[in-house]
Amino acid sequence: MANELQGRRVAILLAPVGTEQVEFTEPKKAVEDAGAQVDVVGIQTGDAQTMNSDVNPGETFKVEKTFSDVSPDDYDGLIVPGGTVGSDNLRGSEEAVNFIHGFFEQQKPVGAICHGPWTLVEADVVRGRTLTSYPTLQTDIRNAGGEWVDQEVVTDQGLVTSRNPDDLPAFCSKVVEEISEGKHAEQARSA
Amino acid sequence: MANELQGRRVAILLAPVGTEQVEFTEPKKAVEDAGAQVDVVGIQTGDAQTMNSDVNPGETFKVEKTFSDVSPDDYDGLIVPGGTVGSDNLRGSEEAVNFIHGFFEQQKPVGAICHGPWTLVEADVVRGRTLTSYPTLQTDIRNAGGEWVDQEVVTDQGLVTSRNPDDLPAFCSKVVEEISEGKHAEQARSA
C-alpha cells in the first residue's frame, strides 16, 4: 500500500492566490506518502498565498513549474485543489485550462475538489460525466452538461471529485487508487 | 440630475464576507446622491466583511435587512456588487436567488458587476440576454444561455452589467439612468 504510486509522477495545481490550503497540502501528502513524485504547477513560479476557509490567509507555498514548463505527457495524474478565488484564478488562465484538458485527452486520472471543478467546466470536460463539487457550482456544472450529485466522493472513469475539506480523507484515498490504476479508457470519451 | 431618483427605493446586496468593497460603496453612493433611499440587504443582519481585490480585507458594513424582511415589491431597483467569494456566497442562498429573480419577474432594473452576474446565472435569468461580467464568468453565462460580451457596460432591457471596478463610473451612471426610467416591459421575457 505504502508504495503503490512508486515511479508515478503527479502534478498538483496552485493558484498565485486563493487556493484552499488543506485542499493543496493533504492530497499532495497523500500521493507523496504513496510514493509519487509531485510537481507543484502554476501560472507563475514563486510564492503562492493559500487561504483557509477562503478568506483567512494561510501559509505560502512555492510554485515549482509553470504551465509552459510542463505537459500532461510528463504525468500520470493531476490534482486540482479548490478555493473560490484560486479556482476562479486558474480557470482564467488559458494555459491552465489547456493543461487540464490534456489529461482528459490522454485518459489520465484527475482529482478535483470543492471549487476546483470550475476549471473542468472551463475545459469543457464535464459533459456526460457524473461529478460533485462545492454546492454553489452545481448550476454551472449542469449547464455545462455534467450530472451533479451531492456525495462525499464521486469517481467516474478516472475523474475523482469531492465537495469540501471535510471530504478530504475519502478524496485522497480515491485519488491514490485511481492514479494507481492508471489510464482509464473511457475517460477521453467527452474530452 | 441630482434628484432623478427622488422617492425611489433601491436594494443593494451585501454578502456576509467577500463582497468587493468599492463595488458596494460606489454604486450605493451613486444612487443615494441621485436621491434614492437605499437598503443594504443580506443573508443575515450585522457586520459584513468586504474585501479589496478579493483577498485583502476591506471595511465592514452593516447588513440592514435580511431577505426574509423584504420583497422585490418594496423596491424600484436592485444592485448586485461583485467579489468572488461574496458572489459565490450569495448564489448559495436560495432566498437571495429568489429575491433577485423577483426583480426580473417585475421588470425592475437590476445592476450587477464583476462576479455579481453569477447570481443571475443561479436565478436563471440570463437566457436570451446580452451581458458582461468578470471574464472568468463568460463560460458559465454562455452555458446558461446568455450572450457574453467584453464591454465596459452593457444595458439590456433594464439589466446593467460591467466587468470590474475600473468600469464603476460607467456602471453607476447607467444604473442611475435605468432606475430613473423605471420598469422595462421586455425585461421579464425570460424570467
Side-chain angles (χ1 to χ4, degrees), chain A residues 17 51 54-55 84-85 88 91-92 115 118 121-122 134 136 139-140 143-144, chain B residues 17 51 54-55 84-85 88 91-92 115 118 121-122 134 136 139-140 143-144:
Chain A
V17 65
M51 304 296 269
D54 260 339
V55 291
T84 310
V85 171
D88 188 62
R91 76 184 298 192
H115 290 78
W118 264 334
V121 168
E122 202 63 42
Y134 194 75
T136 53
T139 298
D140 297 336
N143 286 345
Chain B
V17 65
M51 303 296 268
D54 261 337
V55 290
T84 310
V85 170
D88 188 62
R91 76 184 297 190
H115 291 79
W118 263 334
V121 168
E122 201 64 41
Y134 194 74
T136 53
T139 297
D140 298 335
N143 286 345

Side-chain angles (χ1 to χ4, degrees), chain A:
Chain A
M1 182 77 183
N3 283 312
E4 63 197 292
L5 297 187
Q6 193 67 44
R8 306 292 175 94
R9 295 188 62 192
V10 174
I12 186 164
L13 303 192
L14 182 58
V17 65
T19 293
E20 187 71 14
Q21 178 172 325
V22 290
E23 293 173 358
F24 169 74
T25 55
E26 294 202 16
K28 181 170 184 283
K29 182 176 186 304
V31 293
E32 284 175 341
D33 285 352
Q37 181 192 327
V38 179
D39 285 340
V40 180
V41 180
I43 297 168
Q44 60 207 45
T45 53
D47 281 344
Q49 175 66 57
T50 66
M51 304 296 269
N52 292 314
S53 303
D54 260 339
V55 291
N56 304 307
E59 294 172 61
T60 59
F61 298 90
K62 295 261 182 233
V63 172
E64 299 161 344
K65 300 190 173 188
T66 67
F67 293 108
S68 47
D69 297 330
V70 296
S71 156
D73 301 347
D74 305 333
Y75 299 102
D76 301 293
L78 170 69
I79 299 168
V80 185
T84 310
V85 171
S87 302
D88 188 62
N89 211 308
L90 286 172
R91 76 184 298 192
S93 159
E94 192 179 342
E95 280 186 309
V97 172
N98 288 340
F99 184 70
I100 292 165
H101 195 270
F103 284 82
F104 286 83
E105 286 172 346
Q106 298 187 22
Q107 308 170 20
K108 290 176 175 175
V110 175
I113 184 165
C114 205
H115 290 78
W118 264 334
T119 65
L120 309 181
V121 168
E122 202 63 42
D124 196 20
V125 294
V126 308
R127 199 173 309 282
R129 287 198 166 85
T130 300
L131 65 164
T132 192
S133 67
Y134 194 75
T136 53
L137 276 64
Q138 62 185 286
T139 298
D140 297 336
I141 287 170
R142 288 186 178 124
N143 286 345
E147 183 176 347
W148 189 87
V149 293
D150 183 13
Q151 288 175 22
E152 182 182 41
V153 64
V154 178
T155 307
D156 185 356
Q157 298 298 328
L159 172 63
V160 181
T161 50
S162 285
R163 302 166 301 184
N164 60 54
D166 292 340
D167 297 339
L168 277 166
F171 177 73
C172 291
S173 168
K174 270 291 173 195
V175 164
V176 169
E177 182 182 321
E178 293 299 301
I179 297 176
S180 167
E181 287 176 5
K183 289 191 180 191
H184 287 69
E186 305 257 318
Q187 193 189 359
R189 72 188 189 282
S190 58

Side-chain angles (χ1 to χ4, degrees), chain B residues 116-133:
Chain B
W118 263 334
T119 65
L120 309 180
V121 168
E122 201 64 41
D124 196 18
V125 293
V126 309
R127 199 173 308 282
R129 288 199 166 85
T130 300
L131 66 162
T132 192
S133 68

